């Protein structure tokens, strides 16, 4: 067991730290950020583009796609430094982390240049149209249809919970192209410009976001999409979907670990029971770091361990949910105060006594859903990890 990094990795870290020290935007700019991940201010576009041009946006990518061919371990320390400073390397996380990554994995060269590079350079924003009113956890039950008509697909249907759709330039959309095939076999993925005629986006509020909206309903009524916008093979979209969700889940545990660390700094145990809950938070945080480090080491050896990623996702999201619930309980009435303003890096910079625990608690449930619900993750753990029958 090696608990330290090799010299080349630490050299990589030092180079990135020096880059951040010299070029990180001042807080006077970052404070302009709204709660919506998709509401991208101009300074954030400049910051993302600057990272792309210097190979620090997604360092595992080749240079022409905003990286420097970094190893898995180097990518890990890159994420570690961003987390340590609470820095967002992009304010269009779905576009950079899922859409552009999926296009680079499954797209044609023309699609990479037309869509992926502009998304990575913050010239376009993108969102993912997956969930539907009747197809959430069971995503393969989706009913949005794309019917072939000459050189186009004609799309009809509805999506919901589509983060950032109201500000996106393009939606990576899951559609059913063969209604007679088994449900996992008849799905395709198409890139749909949001200005397409017949496409309507309706943002809606949540309990935590009443003013700065992020979630959307998206309606498609006879939307014509050129067939050149098909991403991956026709009726082979389920592989693209799994790749997209894989991009989302791979380092998700680091976000949970960072949030748990911040929670531990703000938690104020008073009674013996509070201290017991605080100890559980610290142990969960340490366990997540150790299991995550082991998973990263396995990935560096070329191992693909879907079950371990699922374990990390379940452990991290539920530890955060439980910790915020305990903190809310320990804080009593004061913890219910809801902040009227938040910091640039909300919600996890909020001071305990000025409240914020209610928002943290309500937001924590999103972690058990995003990237594949924890119920589905338990199925993966059972069938892939433990070899149990379906």
């Amino acid at each position: 067991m090696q608990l330290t990094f090799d010299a080349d990795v630490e050299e990589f870290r030092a180079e990135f730290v020096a880059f951040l020290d010299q070029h990180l935007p001042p807080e006077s700019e970052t404070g302009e950020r709204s709660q919506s991940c998709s509401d991208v201010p101009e300074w954030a576009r400049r910051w993302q583009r600057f990272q792309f041009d210097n190979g620090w946006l997604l360092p595992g990518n080749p240079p022409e796609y905003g990286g420097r061919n970094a190893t898995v371990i180097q990518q890990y320390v890159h994420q570690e430094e961003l987390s340590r400073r609470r820095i967002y390397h992009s304010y269009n996380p779905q576009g950079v982390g899922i859409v552009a990554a999926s296009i680079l994995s499954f797209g044609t060269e023309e699609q990479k240049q037309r869509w992926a590079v502009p998304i990575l350079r913050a010239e376009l924003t993108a969102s993912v149209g997956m969930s539907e009113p009747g197809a959430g956890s069971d995503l393969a039950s989706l009913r949005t249809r794309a019917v072939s008509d000459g050189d186009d697909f004609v799309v009809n249907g509805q999506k919901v919970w589509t983060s950032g759709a109201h500000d996106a330039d393009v939606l990576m959309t899951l559609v059913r192209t063969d209604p007679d095939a088994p449900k996992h076999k008849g799905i395709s993925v198409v890139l749909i410009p949001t200005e397409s005629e017949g496409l309507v986006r309706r943002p809606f509020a949540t309990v935590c976001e009443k003013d700065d909206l992020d979630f959307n309903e998206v309606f498609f009524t006879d939307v014509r999409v050129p067939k050149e916008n098909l991403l991956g093979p026709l009726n082979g979209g389920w592989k693209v979907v799994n790749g997209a969700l894989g991009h989302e889940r791979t380092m998700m545990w680091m976000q949970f670990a960072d949030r748990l660390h911040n929670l531990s700094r703000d938690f104020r145990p008073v009674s013996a029971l509070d201290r017991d809950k605080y100890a559980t938070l610290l142990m969960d945080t340490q366990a997540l770091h150790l299991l995550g480090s082991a998973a990263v080491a396995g990935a560096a050896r070329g191992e693909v361990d879907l079950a371990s990623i699922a374990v990390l996702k379940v452990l991290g999201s539920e530890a955060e949910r439980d910790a915020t619930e305990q903190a809310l309980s320990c804080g009593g009435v004061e913890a219910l105060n809801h902040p009227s303003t938040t910091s640039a890096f909300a919600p996890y910079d909020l001071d305990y006594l000025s409240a914020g625990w209610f928002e943290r608690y309500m937001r924590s449930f999103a972690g058990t859903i995003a990237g594949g619900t924890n119920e589905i993750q338990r199925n993966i753990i059972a069938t892939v990890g433990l070899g149990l029958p379906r």
Side-chain angles (χ1 to χ4, degrees):
M1 178 182 294
Q2 180 179 338
L3 298 178
T4 58
F5 295 104
D6 292 336
D8 64 313
V9 177
E10 290 299 348
E11 184 179 345
F12 178 90
R13 184 200 301 273
E15 185 180 356
F16 182 48
V17 168
F19 171 83
L20 292 176
D21 288 341
Q22 184 175 356
H23 299 293
L24 188 65
E27 190 170 341
S28 60
E29 286 190 349
T30 59
E32 297 172 3
R33 177 186 181 244
S34 88
Q35 282 288 96
S36 171
C37 292
S38 57
D39 184 12
V40 185
E42 183 53 38
W43 71 264
R45 292 180 184 270
R46 292 195 302 269
W47 168 234
Q48 181 176 319
R49 192 173 304 123
F50 189 75
Q51 292 173 88
F52 177 96
D53 291 340
N54 286 273
W56 289 116
L57 181 64
L58 294 173
N61 286 1
E64 62 268 29
Y65 299 123
R68 49 185 62 208
N69 294 313
T71 66
V72 171
I73 302 298
Q74 288 172 334
Q75 293 173 63
Y76 170 80
V77 300
H78 174 262
Q79 287 290 324
E80 193 174 56
E81 289 302 323
L82 290 175
S83 175
R84 180 172 293 149
R85 298 190 184 212
R86 303 182 183 184
I87 297 170
Y88 295 83
H89 75 306
S90 169
Y91 287 85
N92 180 215
Q94 297 90 357
V96 170
I98 302 176
V99 180
S102 297
I103 296 171
L104 293 181
S105 295
F106 299 99
T108 65
E109 187 58 36
E110 191 276 336
Q111 288 173 336
K112 293 176 185 179
Q113 296 304 318
R114 180 184 176 189
W115 301 108
V117 172
I119 291 169
L120 293 171
R121 287 183 51 80
E123 295 161 358
L124 294 175
T125 54
S127 182
V128 184
M130 286 190 178
S131 297
E132 298 183 3
S137 296
D138 186 12
L139 185 59
S141 294
L142 65 91
R143 293 184 294 178
T144 296
R145 291 281 303 277
V147 178
S148 176
D149 184 16
D151 293 332
D152 297 336
F153 292 111
V154 179
V155 179
N156 285 277
Q158 178 188 355
K159 299 293 180 180
V160 72
W161 308 112
T162 312
S163 298
H166 61 298
D167 285 326
D169 298 302
V170 61
L171 299 180
M172 189 180 89
T173 310
L174 277 66
V175 295
R176 187 161 299 285
T177 44
D178 186 351
D180 298 322
K183 65 180 185 179
H184 290 85
K185 302 294 185 181
I187 294 174
S188 300
V189 177
V190 290
L191 300 168
I192 306 180
T194 54
E195 294 183 352
S196 300
E197 184 176 354
L199 190 155
V200 176
R201 297 164 284 173
R202 294 180 184 169
F204 59 86
T206 69
V207 69
C208 293
E209 294 176 342
K210 298 181 291 296
D211 299 316
D212 296 304
L213 306 180
D214 189 42
F215 286 135
N216 290 256
E217 294 177 291
V218 183
F219 300 88
F220 305 90
T221 305
D222 294 331
V223 176
R224 301 193 73 87
V225 182
K227 288 184 176 177
E228 64 188 28
N229 288 16
L230 175 70
L231 179 61
L234 182 68
N235 298 323
W238 195 247
K239 182 177 180 180
V240 180
V241 172
N242 285 324
L245 292 176
H247 290 307
E248 184 177 13
R249 293 175 190 150
T250 301
M251 290 294 184
M252 183 179 284
W253 70 269
M254 292 190 68
Q255 300 173 20
F256 293 125
D258 181 49
R259 293 170 186 172
L260 288 171
H261 174 70
N262 291 329
L263 283 166
S264 70
R265 295 195 307 181
D266 292 345
F267 202 115
R268 299 292 186 270
V270 178
S271 68
L273 180 60
D274 292 350
R275 290 194 290 272
D276 179 72
K277 295 172 181 176
Y278 180 66
T280 298
L281 167 59
L282 295 181
M283 288 187 288
D284 284 346
T285 304
Q286 183 70 356
L288 190 61
H289 270 294
L290 293 174
L291 289 171
S293 297
V296 170
R301 295 190 296 268
E303 301 170 4
V304 179
D305 191 344
L306 297 178
S308 291
I309 294 175
V311 167
L312 288 166
K313 199 270 183 177
V314 171
L315 171 62
S317 61
E318 294 186 0
E320 181 190 11
R321 182 198 61 197
D322 294 345
T324 54
E325 181 180 13
Q326 300 296 352
L328 188 64
S329 175
C330 294
V333 174
E334 287 296 320
L336 292 175
N337 293 332
H338 196 79
S340 57
T341 59
T342 55
S343 72
F345 298 100
Y348 299 105
D349 279 352
L350 299 174
D351 182 76
Y352 170 69
L353 293 178
S354 67
W357 285 116
F358 174 76
E359 181 174 357
R360 297 186 197 195
Y361 173 62
M362 297 306 296
R363 284 181 179 274
S364 70
F365 285 88
T368 67
I369 300 170
T373 66
N374 283 9
E375 290 78 6
I376 297 298
Q377 300 310 305
R378 283 184 163 84
N379 284 347
I380 294 172
I381 294 167
T383 57
V384 178
L386 302 177
L388 298 177
R390 291 181 62 84

